[in-house]
Structure formats: structure tokens, C-alpha cells
Amino acid sequence: MRKLQNVLFGSDAESFVCVEDKITGEPVYVTAEHFIKGTKHDPFIMEKTPNGVYMSCLDNVLAEFGIPPVRRENPEVWVQSFHKAKELVSKQLPAGHFLKQMPAVIMTDDQLVTEHSRTFGCDPTFCCWTWETNPSPEAEDKNLRSSGLHVHVGYDNSDVNMTMDIMKYFDLYVGVPATLIEPANKRRELYGKAGECRVKDYGGEYRVLSSYFMSSDELLHWVFKASNDAVSAFEKEEYDINSLEARITNAISNNDANEAKSLVKEFGILV
């Protein structure tokens, strides 16, 4: 058994910005370019805490925020941190605007008039299974935009090889069951295929989930529990995770529900 020390979970997450249609009452998706503070390379510090900072930045046409890291024993702190971050970001929005968590949205042309809104600015991501750089995102519909909930995991004396293996367990315990929970959407045309991650100096960033998973406290609790389960499975090392690569990638990237259900049943995974 391999025990990770001082495990922390964090997140950066994206939301669409909306106004309400005065006739239908339905949300109308608008660009966040005019009012969200901060950039990817120079985020805005919304609030400092003893454990870290709440930050915001503009990501394409989305509002993005980050939360301070949370100890793996504190699920309630995790959930409340998302509430706090949403509240702080919402203060930047004009009257009548609100955040909405949707995996993917087709934006209207009038909201994509700037070069910034037409540019996907993410740094390269990698696949934990192949160690290869993922292709730059490109969808058939150029107006498709998606939002993610990225889970960061940190631990003492982080190691690249260990982190890439941890991300594989995240695929099994987080990414696979997520396909059975989340409604059908087009996000994977851009992001969120199996194994999508980044290696950080403190650990790794798992990038498969959409922002749908922060649309309720129940889902946020599930993400935290599933992330803990992934780390615990890595620590126990009871089976060869690499032998499951084909099944896991098929379940996530091809949205194969039968494969996902089979894996969930075989390994007793929380859904």
C-alpha cells in the first residue's frame, strides 16, 4: 500500500453568464468579456483566506473561478467554497445577469464578435494513458462553447509518474460514473475526453468533468467523495489500472453506457 501525505483537493471551474428573456423567461447566454475581472495569466484575487485565495478570470466568454485547497477530510468545506466563489463572482455581474452551470451551449453570433471570444486560449493538456498532448479543441459548430469543473489534487513530494497514475484512477472513479450521471451534451467535441489532465508542481489537475457537477450540493458532494475514492484506490493498488485502459477510455470518450455500467458494477463505484 502506498499512502499519500497531506492530500488536498482544489478546483478551477467555469460558468456561463446569462440574462433572462423578458418574454419567455428562458436564460439567454451572453459573453462575460465586459465584466469578469482577471485573465488566465493574471487572475483577480477576489478574497484571501488562511488556506489560499478565491480568484476569478475571464476564459473565452466564460466566468472562471478558483477556490482555496481543501483537506480530503472536509467535504462540507469543499461545498461551501463553491458557494462562496459563486457569490464573489456574481458580485462582478451587472444587474439582471446571473451564472449558470451548463456543460455546453451554442452561443449566438452577436456574442462572439471579438477575437478573444473566437480564440480558445487553454494551455496544452495531456492524456494520462498515452502521455501525449491532446489536440487543440475544434468543434463542427464554431459557436459551441463548453464549461468545465477541473479537480486539482495535491500531495507531499509529488511525482510526475505517480500523478499520471492517480489521474487514471480519477478516470475510473470519477470520469466513468460521471457519464451515467450527466445529461447528454456536446462538450466532448471540445474537452473532457478520457485521461485529460495537467501535471502541476503540487500534483495534478483532472479535466474531464463539466460544470454541471457544481450545479447542486449533491453533485459537489459526489465529486468530492468520488475524488477521495480515486485517491484511495490508487493508494491500495489492488489491481492493474493499465489493464483497464481500453474499457475506461471507451466508456468516457465514446460515452458507452454499457461499458460504464459494467465498470461501475465490477468495482463498486459510487454513482
Side-chain angles (χ1 to χ4, degrees), residues 21-252:
D21 187 288
K22 294 180 180 178
I23 298 175
T24 66
E26 293 295 316
V28 177
Y29 296 89
V30 299
T31 178
E33 289 174 282
H34 310 300
F35 29 78
I36 293 299
K37 298 177 182 178
T39 66
K40 282 284 192 182
H41 299 292
D42 187 19
F44 174 71
I45 305 301
M46 299 187 290
E47 186 174 301
K48 294 182 180 180
T49 78
N51 297 320
V53 300
Y54 290 93
M55 53 72 67
S56 70
C57 70
L58 179 68
D59 183 359
N60 192 260
V61 296
L62 305 175
E64 181 176 328
F65 65 76
I67 64 170
V70 178
R71 295 189 65 83
R72 69 187 297 186
E73 302 85 7
N74 296 330
E76 292 302 329
V77 176
W78 169 265
V79 174
Q80 292 307 314
S81 295
F82 277 86
H83 283 287
K84 179 70 171 180
K86 291 178 188 178
E87 176 187 324
L88 291 170
V89 172
S90 294
K91 290 179 179 179
Q92 300 179 24
L93 304 180
H97 291 63
F98 57 94
L99 300 175
K100 188 170 179 62
Q101 287 76 52
M102 290 289 288
V105 167
I106 304 296
M107 301 289 289
T108 56
D109 289 340
D110 63 320
Q111 299 300 316
L112 302 173
V113 297
T114 67
E115 182 177 354
H116 182 273
S117 69
R118 297 190 295 270
T119 303
F120 292 95
C122 272
D123 294 330
T125 65
F126 300 88
C127 175
C128 63
W129 299 102
T130 65
W131 288 57
E132 294 178 355
T133 303
N134 289 316
S136 297
E138 187 172 348
E140 282 187 30
D141 190 330
K142 302 302 181 185
N143 288 20
L144 178 66
R145 297 295 182 273
S146 68
S147 63
L149 187 165
H150 307 146
V151 180
H152 297 243
V153 56
Y155 57 97
D156 288 354
N157 303 313
S158 66
D159 172 84
V160 172
N161 292 292
M162 287 178 63
T163 293
M164 288 299 237
D165 277 348
I166 292 168
M167 294 294 99
K168 294 172 184 176
Y169 284 90
F170 265 76
D171 252 6
L172 178 58
Y173 282 85
V174 183
V176 168
T179 65
L180 302 175
I181 298 171
E182 184 176 28
N185 63 82
K186 294 186 175 183
R187 179 172 176 264
R188 284 198 180 86
E189 290 186 26
L190 296 171
Y191 299 107
K193 292 182 175 63
E196 186 173 341
C197 67
R198 289 195 182 115
V199 174
K200 302 288 188 176
D201 57 3
Y202 50 78
E205 175 189 4
Y206 186 66
R207 296 175 54 86
V208 171
L209 296 183
S210 81
S211 69
Y212 171 79
F213 288 91
M214 64 170 174
S215 61
S216 73
D217 286 2
E218 180 182 7
L219 287 168
L220 283 170
H221 274 291
W222 178 83
V223 171
F224 195 82
K225 176 64 165 60
S227 298
N228 255 313
D229 289 347
V231 171
S232 295
F234 167 82
E235 291 175 320
K236 294 174 182 176
E237 201 177 7
E238 293 177 339
Y239 46 85
D240 178 13
I241 189 69
N242 291 308
S243 68
L244 302 172
E245 176 183 353
R247 295 175 64 192
I248 291 172
T249 55
N250 180 45
I252 298 174

